[in-house]
Amino acid sequence: MYYSLLSRFQGGLMGSFLGDSLRNRYGGIEKEPFSDWQQVGICGLLSLSEQGKLDLVDWQQRVGKPELERKGSISEVAIALLPVILFFHDSRNFLTETILAANQLWLSPDANPQEILLWSEIMLFALTGKSSPQTWLTQNSPQRLPQTELEDQISQGKELLNHFAPIERVLATITHPLAFAVYCFNCIPEDFRLCLQRANRHRDPEAANLAGAIAGTYNALAGIPLDWRFHYSHPEINLAHRLFNTWSGVYQPKGNNLEKIAIASPGTIQPRSSLQIISQREYY
């Protein structure tokens, strides 16, 4: 089904937030503070929304908490980079450059940066919604990424899924939280709730967050159950509008809500309070 890009932005961010809140409670939503790397991602989203570009210095300054200024694992940095992937999704080469630059700031030196690039490829397929989830690896980027532990575990997850392996065996085999998130989504791509609840069984809390980001982006906001959306009405979900507005190139993205503003007829010049040009001046 076709969904608007704004709805996919909203679904991806809300899915990530829901997975974050679900990490300590199976089968329901718990309102609690965001995890450390979710907070880092929100700071990055605010920076992108206001700067219109990736400003690593501004991003780090917004984080501002010494306990958050540390290097993270692949799954932790993947959580923080979700707004970056959404914002630069339409330029694959520039997205790669941006991710590699962000990796230098946040990613642990012993982690493989190629795994973050593989995560971005998966999210791009989810964002377009044009490909079958089961064919993501075979339809990867033209420049094939080197074989990584993450790619190996995603392939193992596909084999386990094809052989209808019990969840206990999958949990024992797929140790990488990002690979487990992909496995859970491949099991039930159109069921956001079951995908998230299954991912929450993984020992690493990041799995549910990442599964929520994939499933939310793929199914868009409309695919998230209404009771979860109403129960979890965190104000940060409105940041999806700001990120999308900046990506769209609108004026004053912080104050605009594309669902509420009126759109003039095509070909009609409309005044903007933030832009004074000769044609908008009145002479008496």
Side-chain angles (χ1 to χ4, degrees):
M1 182 179 293
Y2 176 78
Y3 296 107
S4 71
L5 189 60
L6 173 59
S7 183
R8 292 191 187 277
F9 273 41
Q10 292 172 314
L13 290 171
M14 175 168 274
S16 178
F17 295 154
L18 287 169
D20 193 52
S21 67
L22 191 67
R23 66 187 184 273
N24 291 325
R25 181 178 177 185
Y26 180 76
I29 297 300
E30 183 70 27
K31 291 184 178 179
E32 54 188 44
F34 289 129
S35 62
D36 290 350
W37 288 96
Q38 190 75 72
Q39 295 179 50
V40 173
I42 291 174
C43 291
L45 189 153
L46 290 171
S47 179
L48 284 170
S49 298
E50 297 181 16
Q51 302 293 329
K53 61 181 181 179
L54 181 68
D55 188 330
L56 296 178
V57 175
D58 181 70
W59 188 355
Q60 193 170 28
Q61 290 176 346
R62 288 174 185 272
V63 172
K65 298 180 180 180
E67 63 271 18
L68 299 183
E69 295 180 359
R70 60 181 178 85
K71 301 292 185 178
S73 66
I74 291 294
S75 55
E76 290 174 329
V77 175
I79 292 171
L81 287 181
L82 175 60
V84 174
I85 295 171
L86 295 176
F87 191 81
F88 295 107
H89 74 277
D90 54 343
S91 179
R92 189 186 297 259
N93 291 334
F94 192 68
L95 174 61
T96 299
E97 296 176 5
T98 304
I99 289 176
L100 292 177
N103 284 346
Q104 296 180 3
L105 177 63
W106 300 116
L107 190 62
S108 174
D110 58 350
N112 188 344
Q114 296 295 331
E115 294 190 346
I116 295 292
L117 294 178
L118 178 57
W119 159 250
S120 70
E121 292 289 340
I122 293 170
M123 287 301 302
L124 289 182
F125 281 119
L127 192 62
T128 59
K130 295 180 180 179
S131 300
S132 169
Q134 284 75 15
T135 61
W136 277 351
L137 281 180
T138 58
Q139 295 184 6
N140 211 329
S141 60
Q143 297 179 348
R144 183 68 175 175
L145 297 175
Q147 195 77 6
T148 64
E149 177 187 358
L150 173 58
E151 193 170 354
D152 288 338
Q153 292 222 340
I154 291 177
S155 297
Q156 292 180 44
K158 290 179 65 177
E159 289 297 321
L160 292 170
L161 180 61
N162 291 336
H163 290 86
F164 304 99
I167 187 62
E168 289 76 13
R169 181 184 172 190
V170 177
L171 286 168
T173 304
I174 308 301
T175 58
H176 201 302
L178 207 160
F180 189 74
V182 174
Y183 166 82
C184 292
F185 176 69
N186 280 337
C187 289
I188 35 180
E190 280 81 28
D191 195 323
F192 178 88
R193 186 195 303 269
L194 290 179
C195 174
L196 214 61
Q197 290 178 336
R198 174 169 289 191
N200 195 51
R201 298 186 62 177
H202 199 270
R203 63 187 181 186
D204 288 324
E206 294 87 7
N209 189 308
L210 296 166
I214 301 173
T217 301
Y218 183 80
N219 293 291
L221 186 64
I224 299 178
L226 283 175
D227 57 335
W228 281 21
R229 276 192 271 164
F230 290 148
H231 182 75
Y232 187 80
S233 56
H234 204 288
E236 270 72 8
I237 191 56
N238 295 325
L239 294 176
H241 285 278
R242 293 176 57 179
L243 187 69
F244 182 79
N245 290 353
T246 303
W247 175 84
S248 302
V250 303
Y251 289 91
Q252 297 178 329
K254 183 177 180 180
N256 290 338
N257 186 328
L258 295 185
E259 292 182 347
K260 296 181 179 179
I261 61 176
I263 305 299
S265 302
T268 303
I269 298 177
Q270 297 295 316
R272 297 192 186 105
S273 59
S274 61
L275 181 62
Q276 292 296 322
I277 58 178
I278 294 176
S279 61
Q280 292 178 6
R281 297 176 183 170
E282 295 182 355
Y283 295 91
Y284 298 94

